[in-house]
Amino acid sequence: MAAPPSTTPRKFLGLMSLPERNFVADALRTETVGGVILLIAAVAALIWANTLPHSYEAVSHHHFGPAALGLDLSVEHWAADGLLAVFFFVAGIELKRELVAGDLRDPKAALLPVAAAICGMAVPAVVYVLTNVAGGGSLDGWAVPTATDIAFALAVLAVIGTSLPSALRAFLLTLAVVDDLFAILIIAVFFTSSIDFAALGGALAGLVVFWLLLRKGVHGWYVYVPLALVIWALMYNSGIHATIAGVAMGLMLRCHPHEGEEHSPGEHIEHLVRPVSAGLAVPMFALFSAGVVVSGGAIHDVFTRPETLGVVLGLVVGKAVGIFGGTWLTARFTRASLSDDLEWADVAAVATLAGIGFTVSLLIGELAFQGDTGLTDEIKAAVLIGSFIAAVLATALLKIRNSKYRSLCAAEERDEDHDGIPDIYEEHKPAYHLRMAAIHEEKAAEHRRLAELAGGASEENPGPA
């Protein structure tokens, strides 16, 4: 007779596997450093644009590049279309790795973060649309508040000194990966007005060659980098946003190791390219996209114009409600229970933190209101203000539980047997307890020796009668 199905609820945000924890820790370490650089670049852009506006505009609008190839672009466009292709290349590798080796490969485990991410994109879009329907504004910017900027969110955590447990950080990273996927689809589907099929055919042919070279095991950056540049240029001239080329190439990389391999090619290349993306590509994009003139009148317009108000409300309210609501509903109907160490207030804090939208939100804002420079700048200001408000609210929520987070992080990092593996992953292994018994016995022997020495010294020096 078959055993009845288990009624034990599945744990959500519980202890991660050790390989996944190590990968996430490495990825988040790079993103955190990149996020701090990104924050510095954004502040520098604001200072530059508000103190030397003519200089900022002259540099960002300066054109260069081969006009015969259709690549005579401004510095701002090179940053948005060129450098961000590196960012989306890394996003493609992240997505592929999550699908074949990470949390997203298991449909049951993937359901909750995917549902949270989808709700976290849908609700901000609905908030934007309702705000603009009520205020008579343009609906073109509905996608602006849908994206989370993981680097900026981690930079905020680094600045405020809050340590999140690895499960919450991984949840935030998975949300951002799924966000990036849907942002890619939004850019490809909704912001492609006309297509040059000859250039698109050339880009697709280049991608096929890229894929075949990977499958044949051809090595050498001198092969792939020139080919990637050709694919990118053809994709740009096709009318489809050039960053799609970066995503496509990232998805083609193999992200599961073969026998004898310590790391897959995708993981190896991501390890090499991620610092370039986080430390150079994204900050340079921020430097030439976040420079908006901020004044009392501009801030007033952000909160009175429906398009900009919709962006602020979408990031601050829509993201928090969407992610928390999607998470709670999915957990409720799939009978997944929250980890014993965490509370739903922790999920609410992370959902609020996910309201920090920067890189992709700025990019979509430029695409949505292309040709209207004034409104584009106001949308950028709305993204910055909305992200700032979300960061302040998340800081307040996270600080309430900061002592709990510190204790959880300390437990995750504790390695009393000094074998390089956190004890929490070995507590069920007899070998671990034998090592700890030997360590404790050695300490006990040392204490006995010290006690004997102290006793002998007291006998030799009995003191005054």
Side-chain angles (χ1 to χ4, degrees), residues 300-342:
H300 176 267
D301 290 343
V302 165
F303 289 99
T304 54
R305 184 161 185 166
E307 293 90 349
T308 50
L309 180 60
V311 169
V312 173
L313 292 177
L315 289 171
V316 177
V317 179
K319 271 288 183 182
V321 172
I323 292 174
F324 181 83
T327 303
W328 188 86
L329 288 172
T330 307
R332 172 73 176 81
F333 288 106
T334 59
R335 299 184 63 256
S337 65
L338 195 62
S339 167
D340 295 336
D341 295 323
L342 298 173

Side-chain angles (χ1 to χ4, degrees), residues 144 292 298 302-303 305 307-313 315-316 357 362 375-389:
V144 175
V292 294
V302 165
F303 289 99
R305 184 161 185 166
E307 293 90 349
T308 50
L309 180 60
V311 169
V312 173
L313 292 177
L315 289 171
V316 177
L362 291 177
L375 183 53
T376 300
D377 285 345
E378 290 179 358
I379 290 293
K380 290 180 181 180
V383 170
L384 294 173
I385 291 172
S387 299
F388 176 76
I389 295 172

Side-chain angles (χ1 to χ4, degrees), residues 42 78 101 129 136 160 195 205 252 268 287 294 327 395-396 456:
W78 275 113
V129 169
I160 65 176
I195 297 178
M252 289 181 181
H268 176 66
L287 183 63
V294 179
T327 303
T395 297

Side-chain angles (χ1 to χ4, degrees), residues 38 41-42 45 56 75-85 87-88 149 241 243 277 280-291 358-366 380:
L38 174 62
Y56 182 83
V75 171
E76 183 179 0
H77 281 148
W78 275 113
D81 294 287
L83 291 177
L84 277 195
F87 166 78
F88 278 104
D149 195 301
H241 202 271
T243 54
S277 170
L280 176 64
V282 176
M284 286 298 290
F285 167 76
L287 183 63
F288 293 106
S289 293
F358 190 76
T359 307
V360 177
S361 292
L362 291 177
L363 176 62
I364 293 177
E366 291 180 357
K380 290 180 181 180

Side-chain angles (χ1 to χ4, degrees), residues 416-418 434-444:
E416 292 186 356
D417 60 346
H418 307 295
L434 289 174
R435 288 196 301 272
M436 290 305 301
I439 290 170
H440 289 146
E441 178 56 35
E442 185 178 341
K443 289 181 179 179

Side-chain angles (χ1 to χ4, degrees), residues 119-421:
C119 292
M121 297 188 80
V123 176
V126 170
V127 169
Y128 177 93
V129 169
L130 292 176
T131 303
N132 281 270
V133 167
S138 170
L139 301 183
D140 293 343
W142 63 270
V144 175
T146 59
T148 293
D149 195 301
I150 181 67
F152 226 131
L154 292 172
V156 169
L157 291 178
V159 169
I160 65 176
T162 296
S163 298
L164 283 185
S166 58
L168 282 175
R169 286 177 175 257
F171 180 58
L172 186 61
L173 180 61
T174 306
L175 283 175
V177 169
V178 179
D179 257 10
D180 288 341
L181 168 63
F182 284 99
I184 291 159
L185 295 175
I186 288 170
I187 290 170
V189 174
F190 295 99
F191 297 107
T192 301
S193 55
S194 61
I195 297 178
D196 183 327
F197 287 99
L200 179 60
L204 294 176
L207 288 170
V208 170
V209 173
F210 189 89
W211 182 80
L212 289 173
L213 290 173
L214 289 172
R215 291 299 170 270
K216 293 293 183 180
V218 176
H219 298 286
W221 65 266
Y222 47 84
V223 174
Y224 291 101
V225 172
L227 179 58
L229 291 174
V230 170
I231 294 170
W232 174 86
L234 288 168
M235 189 69 76
Y236 176 83
N237 282 288
S238 74
I240 296 176
H241 202 271
T243 54
I244 303 301
V247 177
M249 287 184 278
L251 288 170
M252 289 181 181
L253 292 173
R254 176 167 58 82
C255 290
H256 56 276
H258 286 169
E259 187 176 352
E261 289 182 339
E262 185 177 354
H263 300 289
S264 67
E267 289 175 318
H268 176 66
I269 293 172
E270 182 185 7
H271 181 73
L272 295 175
V273 179
R274 185 187 286 276
V276 178
S277 170
L280 176 64
V282 176
M284 286 298 290
F285 167 76
L287 183 63
F288 293 106
S289 293
V292 294
V293 177
V294 179
S295 64
I299 295 174
H300 176 267
D301 290 343
V302 165
F303 289 99
T304 54
R305 184 161 185 166
E307 293 90 349
T308 50
L309 180 60
V311 169
V312 173
L313 292 177
L315 289 171
V316 177
V317 179
K319 271 288 183 182
V321 172
I323 292 174
F324 181 83
T327 303
W328 188 86
L329 288 172
T330 307
R332 172 73 176 81
F333 288 106
T334 59
R335 299 184 63 256
S337 65
L338 195 62
S339 167
D340 295 336
D341 295 323
L342 298 173
E343 305 288 345
W344 280 107
D346 302 317
V347 180
V350 171
T352 305
L353 186 67
I356 299 174
F358 190 76
T359 307
V360 177
S361 292
L362 291 177
L363 176 62
I364 293 177
E366 291 180 357
L367 296 174
F369 298 103
Q370 205 164 18
D372 189 340
T373 305
L375 183 53
T376 300
D377 285 345
E378 290 179 358
I379 290 293
K380 290 180 181 180
V383 170
L384 294 173
I385 291 172
S387 299
F388 176 76
I389 295 172
V392 171
L393 292 175
T395 297
L397 294 173
L398 291 169
K399 283 294 185 183
I400 294 172
R401 296 264 293 166
N402 202 27
S403 59
K404 177 67 174 178
Y405 298 151
R406 279 199 297 268
S407 64
L408 289 175
C409 289
E412 289 179 0
E413 297 296 330
R414 190 178 69 249
D415 182 18
E416 292 186 356
D417 60 346
H418 307 295
D419 66 343
I421 300 174

